[in-house]
Amino acid sequence: LCIDVCSVVLFYFLSPLIGCVSLAGKHAVVIGRSKIVGAPMHDLLLWHHATVTTCHSKTQDLPEQVTTRTSTDFADILVVGAGKAEMVRGEWLKDGAVVIDCGINHIPGTPSSTPIQVVGDVHYASAYQKAGFITPVPGGVGPMTVAMLMQVNDLLFMTHHFLTSLSFLVGVAYVMMFCRRSMDSLIVFRTQYTAPNVSL
């Protein structure tokens, strides 16, 4: 269920971008191969006709997979869910790239700020300068996940009540049909049964 929900969440997150960023023919890089982010996002991008490269913790020369391929700028779309704080730097990005940061990490904050700082897998300050679209952390994919889970929960609630009502009506219809058949059988039995003549 988590895989399906997360896939739906990420798909709906991409939906506004599909209108202004055509995914067909674009080069996409997914960093991370988890079953709740990397693998579903790879499939979703592929279904929208993007050319997808999946990288992970064992990928060699990871920056080169994002920045260059056959000496040309490569990643038009970058989805990161590797679980390593601020791993992707701004200099890795192609100008105008779409960056979706699905990571959430806790690092020590500065003395002037909070003791613990929440950051993503992308170094936001440097990536913001080059990206065309970028999701912040916090406040990016997280609220979308909550909103979509609420929508799915509402859909399941309505479906449950619909099926409950439907099953109740089917049950009533079945009971009525059973009672009618029982009454018909009783009537047939009474018309066919003749009491024996008993004389005392």
Side-chain angles (χ1 to χ4, degrees), residues 6-7 18 20 23 30 42 44 50 75-76 78 85 104 107 110 123 134 147 154 172 177-178 183 186 195 198:
C6 193
S7 300
I18 293 172
C20 55
L23 298 180
V30 178
H42 175 275
L44 287 169
D76 300 306
L78 178 64
I104 183 165
I107 61 173
T110 60
H123 187 265
I134 186 169
D154 185 49
V172 169
M177 182 180 66
F178 177 77
M183 291 297 294
L186 183 59
V198 178

Side-chain angles (χ1 to χ4, degrees), residues 8-52:
V8 171
V9 168
L10 294 175
F11 173 75
Y12 275 96
F13 182 78
L14 273 180
S15 294
L17 299 180
I18 293 172
C20 55
V21 178
S22 175
L23 298 180
K26 294 293 175 67
H27 294 286
V29 174
V30 178
I31 300 178
R33 54 183 170 179
S34 69
K35 292 182 179 179
I36 60 171
V37 176
M41 183 53 81
H42 175 275
D43 292 339
L44 287 169
L45 290 167
L46 202 60
W47 294 340
H48 284 89
H49 314 295
T51 302
V52 187

Side-chain angles (χ1 to χ4, degrees), residues 153-165:
N153 189 39
D154 185 49
L155 178 63
L156 290 174
F157 178 79
M158 294 176 63
T159 304
H160 170 72
H161 279 283
F162 172 75
L163 293 177
T164 302
S165 302

Side-chain angles (χ1 to χ4, degrees), residues 8-180:
V8 171
V9 168
L10 294 175
F11 173 75
Y12 275 96
F13 182 78
L14 273 180
S15 294
L17 299 180
I18 293 172
C20 55
V21 178
S22 175
L23 298 180
K26 294 293 175 67
H27 294 286
V29 174
V30 178
I31 300 178
R33 54 183 170 179
S34 69
K35 292 182 179 179
I36 60 171
V37 176
M41 183 53 81
H42 175 275
D43 292 339
L44 287 169
L45 290 167
L46 202 60
W47 294 340
H48 284 89
H49 314 295
T51 302
V52 187
T53 300
T54 300
C55 304
H56 47 79
S57 59
K58 305 299 182 188
T59 301
Q60 296 182 356
D61 299 324
L62 183 58
E64 292 184 9
Q65 293 292 329
V66 179
T67 56
T68 58
R69 189 167 187 173
T70 63
S71 301
T72 59
D73 288 335
F74 180 50
D76 300 306
I77 301 163
L78 178 64
V79 182
V80 188
K84 187 174 180 182
E86 298 182 333
M87 176 183 65
V88 176
R89 314 299 294 184
E91 54 267 22
W92 295 15
L93 302 178
K94 174 182 179 178
D95 288 335
V98 175
V99 181
I100 300 178
D101 189 353
C102 301
I104 183 165
N105 307 281
H106 298 86
I107 61 173
T110 60
S112 60
S113 66
T114 58
I116 297 177
Q117 187 177 1
V118 179
V119 297
D121 292 351
V122 178
H123 187 265
Y124 186 81
S126 60
Y128 179 80
Q129 305 299 324
K130 297 191 72 174
F133 298 92
I134 186 169
T135 61
V137 176
V141 175
M144 181 61 66
T145 305
V146 174
M148 287 306 304
L149 285 173
M150 292 299 292
Q151 185 173 357
V152 169
N153 189 39
D154 185 49
L155 178 63
L156 290 174
F157 178 79
M158 294 176 63
T159 304
H160 170 72
H161 279 283
F162 172 75
L163 293 177
T164 302
S165 302
L166 184 63
S167 62
F168 174 75
L169 293 176
V170 169
V172 169
Y174 179 77
V175 169
M176 291 176 65
M177 182 180 66
F178 177 77
C179 291
R180 177 167 182 157

